[in-house]
């Protein structure tokens, strides 16, 4: 049944690629993957394979990639993505030797892919459980690890009807999970090679903080009260923009998840009468900021219409908002919290441990609608000390959960020595 579904998906992707640019990139990328591997794989090298579905999972795997590369330079790194939103952003990442798409998980694709690469070790980040790839890796005795994975009782593996598919979990050499519940769930189905390490994303956001970019344009804009909204979607923007249209003593930075012109126009239409400026308009106009400062001094809203800056931008805000909580699920909360500022987010956060824990410690504020957002903002504005207190709680949460990368690599070192 699984293989029938995979072939149906493959056909569906091929048809959808005729009408959708994102799907077209994925379809072409999967076809291109085999050519890339044929041309770039060194048959005399040992490859460690990292697979991340998209950009968020890549950021979780990145600390392991970079530390592994530093400690074991004899290995080459293969990095694969499933989604264009990961591949297109990181296809030139310097930390990997080969970067390509992962083909759809059919038996034929898995065999062909693994014959070309012959990895000596494989890492699947968070939610990646590809039945055919994993079974062939196990058959070939390739050590395979699940990193920063998290499990919940309602997942198919723990339901009576999911027992057959659940066998895929037995293909992993070891699980490095985020919490105790995940370990207990795996133990309940007889999987005992499990260690609680937490989420490697905390290590990553601390790395990002240490290497944060200086952004003169943002710094010039950021005088006074500043609210930073990152990875926002239209349902998020309709809430917080309404508030700041009425409270003009706050400046606003918006870094939307989608930066297409149609969405940027939607945002600007919501900003009633506020002076808006786009980041690229000023950053490209005058790198010395001689004329830009004048524009920025009168601007009320700065829209970040490019990628790669958000993690550094949060440092300039007093309060942050991380989008996605009214649809696909919230984006990277630790990326904002690491800067020691309170973080707002929407209600679709049950699957996100960091959201639950930030709510508990006071660093995170969940909102369901405009009225809740306005009430919470009014409370914070009336009591600046509460902003600092909540911000300290958010920052402490991130620092207190770092260290997963070191634990994972220490375990791999033990296993590597044991194999000798």
């Amino acid at each position: 049944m699984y293989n029938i579904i995979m072939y149906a998906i493959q056909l569906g992707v091929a048809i959808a690629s005729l009408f959708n640019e994102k799907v077209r990139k994925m379809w072409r990328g999967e076809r291109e993957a085999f050519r890339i591997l044929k041309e770039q794989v060194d048959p005399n090298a040992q490859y460690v394979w990292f697979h991340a579905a998209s950009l968020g999972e890549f950021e979780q795997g990145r600390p392991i990639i970079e530390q592994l590369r530093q400690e074991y330079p004899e290995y080459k790194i293969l990095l694969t993505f499933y989604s264009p939103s990961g591949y297109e952003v990181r296809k030139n990442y310097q930390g990997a030797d080969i970067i390509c798409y992962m083909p759809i998980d059919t038996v034929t694709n898995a065999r062909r892919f693994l014959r070309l690469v012959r990895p000596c070790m494989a890492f699947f980040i968070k939610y990646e459980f590809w039945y055919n790839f994993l079974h062939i890796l196990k058959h070939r005795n390739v050590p395979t690890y699940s990193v920063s994975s998290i499990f919940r009782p309602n997942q198919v593996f723990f339901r009576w009807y999911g027992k057959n598919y659940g066998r895929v979990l037995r293909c992993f050499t070891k699980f490095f999970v985020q919490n105790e519940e995940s370990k207990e769930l795996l133990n309940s189905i007889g999987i005992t090679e499990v260690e609680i390490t937490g989420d490697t994303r905390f290590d990553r956001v601390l790395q990002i903080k240490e290497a944060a970019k200086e952004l003169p344009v943002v710094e010039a804009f950021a005088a006074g009260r500043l609210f930073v909204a990152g990875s926002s979607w239209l349902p998020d923007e309709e809430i917080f923009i309404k508030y700041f249209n009425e409270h003009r003593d706050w400046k606003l930075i918006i870094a939307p998840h989608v930066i297409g012109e149609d969405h940027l126009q939607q945002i600007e239409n919501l900003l009633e009468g506020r002076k808006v400026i786009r980041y690229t308009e000023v950053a490209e106009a005058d790198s010395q900021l001689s004329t830009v400062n004048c524009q920025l001094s009168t601007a009320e809203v700065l829209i970040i219409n490019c990628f790669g800056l958000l993690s550094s931008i949060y440092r300039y805000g007093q309060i942050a908002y991380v989008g996605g909580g009214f649809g696909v699920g919230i984006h990277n909360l630790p990326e904002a919290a690491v800067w020691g500022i309170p973080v707002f987010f929407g209600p679709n956060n049950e699957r996100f441990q960091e959201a639950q824990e930030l709510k508990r410690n006071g660093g995170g504020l969940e909102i369901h609608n405009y009225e809740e957002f306005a009430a919470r903002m009014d409370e914070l504005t009336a009591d600046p000390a509460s902003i600092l207190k909540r911000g300290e709680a958010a920052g402490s949460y991130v620092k207190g959960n770092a260290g997963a990368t070191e634990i994972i690599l220490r375990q791999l070192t033990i296993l590597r020595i044991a194999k000798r």
Side-chain angles (χ1 to χ4, degrees):
M1 178 60 74
Y2 177 86
N3 287 322
I4 292 172
I5 293 171
M6 285 297 106
Y7 282 108
I9 289 174
Q10 192 170 38
L11 177 61
V13 169
I15 294 170
S17 70
L18 300 173
F19 309 99
N20 184 285
E21 178 62 26
K22 183 176 180 180
V23 177
R24 190 177 306 123
K25 286 179 179 179
M26 183 171 72
W27 175 249
R28 289 174 180 171
E30 289 173 357
R31 309 277 73 72
E32 189 81 353
F34 292 112
R35 181 193 64 78
I36 291 171
L37 294 175
K38 282 181 180 178
E39 292 178 358
Q40 297 186 23
V41 167
D42 178 353
N44 299 313
Q46 287 188 299
Y47 284 89
V48 178
W49 175 24
F50 286 84
H51 176 65
S54 191
L55 189 60
E57 289 80 10
F58 164 73
E59 291 297 330
Q60 287 176 294
R62 184 169 177 171
I64 304 172
I65 293 173
E66 295 180 355
Q67 197 162 331
L68 183 73
R69 197 174 183 90
Q70 181 180 342
E71 295 186 14
Y72 303 107
E74 66 269 27
Y75 292 121
K76 287 185 179 292
I77 304 294
L78 165 67
L79 172 63
T80 61
F81 291 96
Y82 187 75
S83 167
S85 61
Y87 177 80
E88 295 300 328
V89 176
R90 293 301 180 211
K91 60 187 175 182
N92 297 315
Y93 170 58
Q94 297 299 306
D97 298 282
I98 302 174
I99 303 174
C100 65
Y101 280 90
M102 178 180 175
I104 287 174
D105 186 31
T106 65
V107 174
T108 302
N109 283 344
R111 286 175 176 165
R112 186 181 176 192
F113 183 95
L114 292 169
R115 273 199 297 264
L116 287 168
V117 180
R118 299 186 182 278
C120 63
M121 193 180 298
F123 292 84
F124 286 71
I125 313 301
K126 199 171 182 179
Y127 292 130
E128 296 300 278
F129 307 109
W130 298 106
Y131 194 89
N132 292 311
F133 276 93
L134 287 165
H135 273 85
I136 295 173
L137 285 166
K138 182 176 176 62
H139 178 72
R140 295 186 174 198
N141 295 315
V142 177
T144 303
Y145 306 97
S146 178
V147 173
S148 291
S149 45
I150 188 165
F151 295 92
R152 296 176 303 280
N154 62 354
Q155 286 175 299
V156 65
F157 313 114
F158 313 109
R159 301 286 189 166
W160 63 266
Y161 54 80
K163 285 184 179 179
N164 285 334
Y165 178 66
R167 292 172 187 164
V168 72
L169 300 179
R170 300 185 183 279
C171 295
F172 287 97
T173 306
K174 188 159 188 173
F175 287 86
F176 297 105
V177 299
Q178 292 191 31
N179 58 24
E180 180 67 36
E181 181 185 32
S182 297
K183 182 178 180 178
E184 290 176 357
L185 285 167
L186 290 170
N187 289 169
S188 73
I189 57 172
I191 295 173
T192 57
E193 286 297 321
V194 185
E195 182 165 357
I196 302 169
T197 57
D199 190 345
T200 51
R201 186 165 37 170
F202 293 107
D203 299 326
R204 177 62 189 145
V205 296
L206 285 167
Q207 287 178 350
I208 291 171
K209 182 181 180 183
E210 290 174 6
K213 302 172 185 176
E214 295 291 335
L215 300 173
V217 168
V218 179
E219 191 166 343
F221 172 80
R225 289 177 167 177
L226 177 64
F227 185 93
V228 178
S231 302
S232 60
W233 296 76
L234 186 60
D236 304 300
E237 292 148 3
E238 289 174 333
I239 288 175
F240 65 73
I241 287 176
K242 180 179 178 180
Y243 181 84
F244 291 108
N245 281 342
E246 299 172 2
H247 297 79
R248 299 199 173 199
D249 53 329
W250 282 86
K251 285 191 170 185
L252 180 59
I253 291 180
I254 306 173
H257 186 74
V258 176
I259 59 171
E261 184 59 32
D262 288 347
H263 187 205
L264 296 179
Q265 286 290 339
Q266 286 179 314
I267 293 171
E268 291 179 357
N269 290 339
L270 289 171
L271 290 159
E272 302 169 356
R274 302 208 70 175
K275 182 171 181 184
V276 181
I277 195 162
R278 296 187 184 183
Y279 182 87
T280 57
E281 292 174 354
V282 287
E284 294 170 5
D286 184 349
S287 60
Q288 302 302 313
L289 296 178
S290 58
T291 59
V292 168
N293 280 327
C294 181
Q295 294 175 275
L296 290 171
S297 65
T298 56
E300 298 173 281
V301 181
L302 177 63
I303 297 177
I304 309 301
N305 59 331
C306 56
F307 292 117
L309 303 180
L310 179 57
S311 58
S312 296
I313 287 173
Y314 282 123
R315 75 158 87 174
Y316 298 101
Q318 284 78 54
I319 302 174
Y321 185 107
V322 174
F326 286 91
V328 296
I330 50 173
H331 294 290
N332 195 339
L333 285 177
E335 187 177 52
V338 72
W339 292 102
I341 54 178
V343 186
F344 279 93
F345 46 84
N348 185 8
N349 60 64
E350 297 86 358
R351 296 182 295 110
F352 300 86
Q353 179 172 294
E354 63 274 23
Q356 304 308 311
E357 296 191 5
L358 280 169
K359 284 194 292 184
R360 280 194 288 270
N361 85 349
L365 301 100
E366 176 186 280
I367 53 106
H368 293 80
N369 49 47
Y370 170 75
E371 288 72 23
E372 282 189 7
F373 178 76
R376 287 293 187 93
M377 277 298 302
D378 287 345
E379 289 171 8
L380 292 172
T381 303
D383 182 13
S386 68
I387 298 177
L388 295 175
K389 184 178 179 180
R390 288 183 178 274
E392 288 173 2
S396 296
Y397 168 69
V398 174
K399 291 176 186 174
N401 283 276
T405 301
E406 183 180 344
I407 296 170
I408 292 167
L409 285 177
R410 186 168 64 243
Q411 285 293 311
L412 295 179
T413 300
I414 292 169
L415 291 168
R416 188 168 177 268
I417 291 171
K419 287 179 66 179
R420 290 179 175 175

